[in-house]
C-alpha cells in the first residue's frame, strides 16, 4: 500500500504564535500515525520559488493522511497556523511498494 504525505512550504510571520501551533501538532498527528520526515533543517533552494521552511509528514496511507487533515483535532489548530504563517500544503499519495 502506498503511503500518504503532507508536503508543506511555509513562511513563518509570527514565531510565538507558530510555536503554539507547533506545540500541538504532534498530538493531532499521533492518532493517525503521522510522523515528521522533514521539519525545517538545512536546505539549498536549487530551482523555482519556495518558502523558507519545508515540512514533510508521512502516514501509512493516503487515506490516513487525508483523515488527519480533515480531523476535528487538526482543524481546531489550523487557526493558530493561519494567523502565524503563510503556507502551501498538499496531501499526496506516495509510490506503491513493489
Amino acid at each position: 500500500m502506498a503511503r500518504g504525505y503532507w508536503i508543506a512550504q511555509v513562511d513563518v510571520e509570527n514565531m510565538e504564535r507558530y510555536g503554539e501551533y507547533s506545540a500541538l501538532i504532534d498530538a493531532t498527528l499521533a492518532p493517525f500515525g503521522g510522523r515528521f520526515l522533514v521539519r525545517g533543517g538545512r536546505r539549498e533552494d536549487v530551482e523555482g520559488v519556495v518558502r523558507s521552511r519545508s515540512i514533510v509528514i508521512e502516514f501509512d496511507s493516503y487515506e490516513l493522511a487525508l483523515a488527519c487533515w480533515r480531523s476535528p483535532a487538526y482543524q481546531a489548530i489550523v487557526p493558530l497556523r493561519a494567523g502565524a504563517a503563510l503556507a502551501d500544503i498538499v496531501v499526496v499519495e506516495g509510490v506503491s511498494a513493489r
Side-chain angles (χ1 to χ4, degrees), residues 2 4 15 17-18 24 27 32 34 36 38-39 42 48 58-59 61 65-66 69 76-77 81-82 86-87 91 93 97:
M15 189 54 81
R17 188 166 168 104
Y18 191 76
L24 298 172
F32 300 92
F36 283 91
V38 176
R39 193 175 198 178
R42 288 180 12 163
E58 181 181 59
F59 297 83
S61 70
L66 280 177
W69 180 267
I77 69 169
R81 179 183 44 78
L86 299 174
V91 177
E93 183 177 44

Side-chain angles (χ1 to χ4, degrees), residues 21-45:
Y21 166 83
S22 292
L24 298 172
I25 192 165
D26 288 335
T28 66
L29 299 174
F32 300 92
R35 56 209 161 270
F36 283 91
L37 298 181
V38 176
R39 193 175 198 178
R42 288 180 12 163
R43 65 186 267 164
E44 184 172 332
D45 300 336

